[in-house]
Amino acid sequence: MPDYLDDLRLAHVLADAADAATTSRFKALDLKVATKPDMTPVSEADKAAEELIRGQLKRARPRDAILGEEYGIEGTGPRRWVIDPIDGTKNYVRGVPVWATLISLMEAGEGGYQPVVGVVSAPALSRRWWAARGHGAFTGRSLSSATRIHASRVSRLADASFAYSSLSGWEDQGRLGGFLDLTREVWRTRAYGDFWPYMMVAEGSVDMCAEPELSLWDMAATAIVVTEAGGTFTGLDGRPGPHSGNAAASNGLLHEELLGYLNQRY
């Protein structure tokens, strides 16, 4: 089985370059921001970071395909890099430091493409998380300065911390009732949003999180970090991995209960 460590090292190099590009424009008074057709914002920094990553990948991995939020799919083959140049653009453009570059390598296999490498780099928080299939999940400043992370062992909802992004998506899907019932059963809820709650599930500081509508580039990197930390990452339909258009992540012990509540429609 391939060890993917060379790919992981490359993902860190890509994240270093993206961090430099995004932090240089964070809180810039002349930052240019446009609205995409789906009514979400995109900044010049999103585009610049993705262009930078794509350029380096074309040189370092010319045979691999690339899928990014801003410029779509390019290339074909069994290996595909998936990029979200800034996850949390709304935070980024408002000066909120909770945003990250997400970089994942996915490989074709049984059940379609699956993430085998993931890096989540949040430079404004001075945090980075990463994982490669079969090697566990880590956080730290670099590969040489890292701490292995593990999901929690909390097994009762009454003791669990649950994180989410917002209420409107759950309401739009008719899932708000079950969502609110879950919030009444757990010990603590917080709306951290975007990539961060998944990393906290991986670290064991949060026990569950979920979002009702996501794209592949939002999930590929976070999914492998969660699973390599011993957690569970599925869609709301229970399908493993980042392919369901939504996500539920947990320490594994609480996953069935999490899905049970979030699939109640009333």
Side-chain angles (χ1 to χ4, degrees), residues 12 35 40 50 89 174 176 215 220 223 255:
H12 275 272
T35 301
T40 60
E50 184 166 326
T89 299
L176 184 59
S215 298
H255 208 77

Side-chain angles (χ1 to χ4, degrees), residues 116-155:
V116 294
V117 166
V119 172
V120 176
S121 190
L125 297 175
S126 298
R127 297 295 310 275
R128 184 177 290 185
W129 303 262
W130 62 88
R133 179 185 285 177
H135 290 277
F138 296 83
T139 188
R141 297 278 183 165
S142 66
L143 283 167
S144 60
S145 177
T147 302
R148 189 160 186 170
I149 55 177
H150 302 275
S152 76
R153 301 300 297 168
V154 172
S155 60

Side-chain angles (χ1 to χ4, degrees), residues 13-14 16 31 38 42 51 71 76 85 119 130 152 167 187 204-205 211 264:
V13 171
L14 300 173
D16 289 342
L31 181 73
D38 64 0
V42 57
E51 289 169 356
Y71 294 105
T76 59
V119 172
W130 62 88
S152 76
L167 297 179
W187 166 64
S205 52
E211 289 182 88
Q264 294 177 24

Side-chain angles (χ1 to χ4, degrees), residues 22 25-28 31 33 40-43 45-46 86-100 122 124-125 164-165 191-197 211:
T22 54
R25 298 299 291 153
F26 184 48
K27 297 186 178 181
L31 181 73
V33 182
T40 60
V42 57
S43 75
D46 292 79
I86 299 179
D87 182 55
T89 299
K90 292 177 182 177
N91 283 345
Y92 184 88
V93 301
R94 291 296 301 271
V96 179
V98 183
W99 49 272
L125 297 175
Y164 60 98
S165 55
Y192 299 109
D194 299 307
F195 69 93
W196 206 8
E211 289 182 88

Side-chain angles (χ1 to χ4, degrees), residues 11 14-15 18-19 22 46 49-50 53 57 66-69 81-88 98-105 117-123 127-129 193-196 198-199 211 214-223 225 233:
L14 300 173
D19 285 356
T22 54
D46 292 79
E50 184 166 326
I53 293 169
L57 280 172
I66 305 170
L67 171 65
E69 178 176 10
W81 293 86
V82 180
I83 306 158
D84 189 343
I86 299 179
D87 182 55
V98 183
W99 49 272
T101 295
L102 313 184
I103 300 169
S104 177
L105 173 62
V117 166
V119 172
V120 176
S121 190
R127 297 295 310 275
R128 184 177 290 185
W129 303 262
D194 299 307
F195 69 93
W196 206 8
Y198 300 95
M199 298 302 94
E211 289 182 88
L214 292 168
S215 298
L216 179 60
W217 47 76
D218 298 312
M219 298 183 281
T222 59
V225 175
F233 190 107

Side-chain angles (χ1 to χ4, degrees), residues 174-255:
R175 300 177 190 265
L176 184 59
F179 174 90
L180 293 175
D181 285 347
L182 175 62
T183 66
R184 297 181 185 108
E185 294 297 321
V186 299
W187 166 64
R188 194 170 190 251
T189 62
R190 285 293 183 273
Y192 299 109
D194 299 307
F195 69 93
W196 206 8
Y198 300 95
M199 298 302 94
M200 287 191 275
V201 168
E203 290 183 322
S205 52
V206 164
D207 309 300
M208 306 179 294
C209 66
E211 289 182 88
E213 187 174 1
L214 292 168
S215 298
L216 179 60
W217 47 76
D218 298 312
M219 298 183 281
T222 59
I224 188 166
V225 175
V226 168
T227 55
E228 284 293 320
T232 299
F233 190 107
T234 72
L236 297 177
D237 57 6
R239 183 159 53 125
H243 297 289
S244 300
N246 45 48
S250 76
N251 62 7
L253 302 174
L254 299 164
H255 208 77

